[in-house]
mmCIF file of all heavy atoms in Angstrom:
data_model
loop_
_atom_site.group_PDB
_atom_site.id
_atom_site.type_symbol
_atom_site.label_atom_id
_atom_site.label_comp_id
_atom_site.label_asym_id
_atom_site.label_seq_id
_atom_site.Cartn_x
_atom_site.Cartn_y
_atom_site.Cartn_z
ATOM 1 N N PRO A 155 -23.989 5.949 -19.429
ATOM 2 C CA PRO A 155 -23.164 4.907 -20.070
ATOM 3 C C PRO A 155 -22.135 5.449 -21.054
ATOM 4 O O PRO A 155 -21.046 4.890 -21.176
ATOM 5 C CB PRO A 155 -24.212 4.023 -20.764
ATOM 6 C CG PRO A 155 -25.421 4.882 -20.904
ATOM 7 C CD PRO A 155 -25.410 5.803 -19.730
ATOM 8 N N ALA A 245 -35.943 1.778 -15.967
ATOM 9 C CA ALA A 245 -35.694 1.189 -17.281
ATOM 10 C C ALA A 245 -36.528 -0.073 -17.479
ATOM 11 O O ALA A 245 -37.040 -0.336 -18.573
ATOM 12 C CB ALA A 245 -34.210 0.878 -17.438
ATOM 13 N N ASN A 249 -39.375 -0.611 -20.385
ATOM 14 C CA ASN A 249 -39.316 -1.719 -21.331
ATOM 15 C C ASN A 249 -40.628 -2.495 -21.363
ATOM 16 O O ASN A 249 -41.067 -2.957 -22.415
ATOM 17 C CB ASN A 249 -38.169 -2.660 -20.970
ATOM 18 C CG ASN A 249 -36.810 -2.080 -21.295
ATOM 19 O OD1 ASN A 249 -36.697 -1.184 -22.140
ATOM 20 N ND2 ASN A 249 -35.774 -2.562 -20.630
ATOM 21 N N ARG A 259 -36.286 -5.980 -29.814
ATOM 22 C CA ARG A 259 -35.023 -5.485 -30.362
ATOM 23 C C ARG A 259 -34.091 -4.991 -29.270
ATOM 24 O O ARG A 259 -32.894 -5.231 -29.294
ATOM 25 C CB ARG A 259 -35.300 -4.359 -31.364
ATOM 26 C CG ARG A 259 -35.814 -4.850 -32.706
ATOM 27 C CD ARG A 259 -35.659 -3.763 -33.740
ATOM 28 N NE ARG A 259 -36.470 -2.610 -33.434
ATOM 29 C CZ ARG A 259 -37.707 -2.432 -33.867
ATOM 30 N NH1 ARG A 259 -38.283 -3.375 -34.617
ATOM 31 N NH2 ARG A 259 -38.381 -1.347 -33.554
ATOM 32 N N ARG A 260 -34.652 -4.296 -28.276
ATOM 33 C CA ARG A 260 -33.800 -3.814 -27.173
ATOM 34 C C ARG A 260 -33.235 -4.977 -26.387
ATOM 35 O O ARG A 260 -32.085 -4.964 -26.000
ATOM 36 C CB ARG A 260 -34.604 -2.879 -26.256
ATOM 37 C CG ARG A 260 -34.779 -1.495 -26.817
ATOM 38 C CD ARG A 260 -35.223 -0.554 -25.711
ATOM 39 N NE ARG A 260 -36.517 -0.930 -25.214
ATOM 40 C CZ ARG A 260 -37.671 -0.475 -25.707
ATOM 41 N NH1 ARG A 260 -37.667 0.343 -26.745
ATOM 42 N NH2 ARG A 260 -38.825 -0.853 -25.172
ATOM 43 N N ARG A 261 -34.054 -6.000 -26.139
ATOM 44 C CA ARG A 261 -33.539 -7.127 -25.349
ATOM 45 C C ARG A 261 -32.475 -7.887 -26.112
ATOM 46 O O ARG A 261 -31.494 -8.355 -25.553
ATOM 47 C CB ARG A 261 -34.685 -8.063 -24.963
ATOM 48 C CG ARG A 261 -35.526 -7.549 -23.820
ATOM 49 C CD ARG A 261 -36.336 -8.676 -23.232
ATOM 50 N NE ARG A 261 -37.303 -9.176 -24.179
ATOM 51 C CZ ARG A 261 -38.576 -8.757 -24.250
ATOM 52 N NH1 ARG A 261 -39.005 -7.839 -23.425
ATOM 53 N NH2 ARG A 261 -39.399 -9.270 -25.147
ATOM 54 N N SER A 262 -32.667 -8.032 -27.413
ATOM 55 C CA SER A 262 -31.693 -8.791 -28.184
ATOM 56 C C SER A 262 -30.362 -8.073 -28.265
ATOM 57 O O SER A 262 -29.309 -8.707 -28.368
ATOM 58 C CB SER A 262 -32.234 -9.033 -29.603
ATOM 59 O OG SER A 262 -32.427 -7.786 -30.259
ATOM 60 N N SER A 263 -30.385 -6.744 -28.195
ATOM 61 C CA SER A 263 -29.136 -5.990 -28.334
ATOM 62 C C SER A 263 -28.546 -5.578 -27.007
ATOM 63 O O SER A 263 -27.352 -5.334 -26.910
ATOM 64 C CB SER A 263 -29.375 -4.735 -29.180
ATOM 65 O OG SER A 263 -30.322 -3.892 -28.530
ATOM 66 N N ARG A 264 -29.382 -5.527 -25.913
ATOM 67 C CA ARG A 264 -28.876 -4.952 -24.674
ATOM 68 C C ARG A 264 -29.026 -5.869 -23.473
ATOM 69 O O ARG A 264 -28.593 -5.530 -22.385
ATOM 70 C CB ARG A 264 -29.614 -3.644 -24.384
ATOM 71 C CG ARG A 264 -29.362 -2.567 -25.382
ATOM 72 C CD ARG A 264 -30.161 -1.335 -25.069
ATOM 73 N NE ARG A 264 -29.894 -0.852 -23.729
ATOM 74 C CZ ARG A 264 -30.573 0.127 -23.142
ATOM 75 N NH1 ARG A 264 -31.566 0.716 -23.781
ATOM 76 N NH2 ARG A 264 -30.279 0.503 -21.916
ATOM 77 N N SER A 265 -29.652 -7.048 -23.647
ATOM 78 C CA SER A 265 -29.892 -7.907 -22.501
ATOM 79 C C SER A 265 -28.626 -8.360 -21.791
ATOM 80 O O SER A 265 -28.621 -8.451 -20.566
ATOM 81 C CB SER A 265 -30.717 -9.133 -22.914
ATOM 82 O OG SER A 265 -30.034 -9.886 -23.900
ATOM 83 N N PRO A 266 -27.491 -8.681 -22.498
ATOM 84 C CA PRO A 266 -26.294 -9.082 -21.760
ATOM 85 C C PRO A 266 -25.794 -7.992 -20.824
ATOM 86 O O PRO A 266 -25.439 -8.262 -19.680
ATOM 87 C CB PRO A 266 -25.289 -9.376 -22.886
ATOM 88 C CG PRO A 266 -26.123 -9.671 -24.085
ATOM 89 C CD PRO A 266 -27.313 -8.780 -23.949
ATOM 90 N N VAL A 267 -25.760 -6.732 -21.317
ATOM 91 C CA VAL A 267 -25.288 -5.648 -20.472
ATOM 92 C C VAL A 267 -26.251 -5.422 -19.311
ATOM 93 O O VAL A 267 -25.854 -5.202 -18.176
ATOM 94 C CB VAL A 267 -25.103 -4.372 -21.298
ATOM 95 C CG1 VAL A 267 -24.705 -3.202 -20.411
ATOM 96 C CG2 VAL A 267 -24.057 -4.598 -22.382
ATOM 97 N N HIS A 268 -27.576 -5.481 -19.604
ATOM 98 C CA HIS A 268 -28.564 -5.286 -18.545
ATOM 99 C C HIS A 268 -28.414 -6.369 -17.485
ATOM 100 O O HIS A 268 -28.514 -6.100 -16.285
ATOM 101 C CB HIS A 268 -29.972 -5.311 -19.149
ATOM 102 C CG HIS A 268 -31.061 -5.126 -18.145
ATOM 103 N ND1 HIS A 268 -31.339 -3.900 -17.593
ATOM 104 C CD2 HIS A 268 -31.911 -6.021 -17.573
ATOM 105 C CE1 HIS A 268 -32.330 -4.033 -16.734
ATOM 106 N NE2 HIS A 268 -32.697 -5.316 -16.710
ATOM 107 N N SER A 269 -28.182 -7.608 -17.924
ATOM 108 C CA SER A 269 -27.996 -8.699 -16.965
ATOM 109 C C SER A 269 -26.772 -8.456 -16.098
ATOM 110 O O SER A 269 -26.793 -8.693 -14.884
ATOM 111 C CB SER A 269 -27.857 -10.027 -17.720
ATOM 112 O OG SER A 269 -27.609 -11.086 -16.820
#
Side-chain angles (χ1 to χ4, degrees):
N249 287 338
R259 284 197 296 269
R260 282 196 296 270
R261 283 197 295 266
S262 62
S263 62
R264 295 178 56 188
S265 60
V267 176
H268 180 75
S269 177

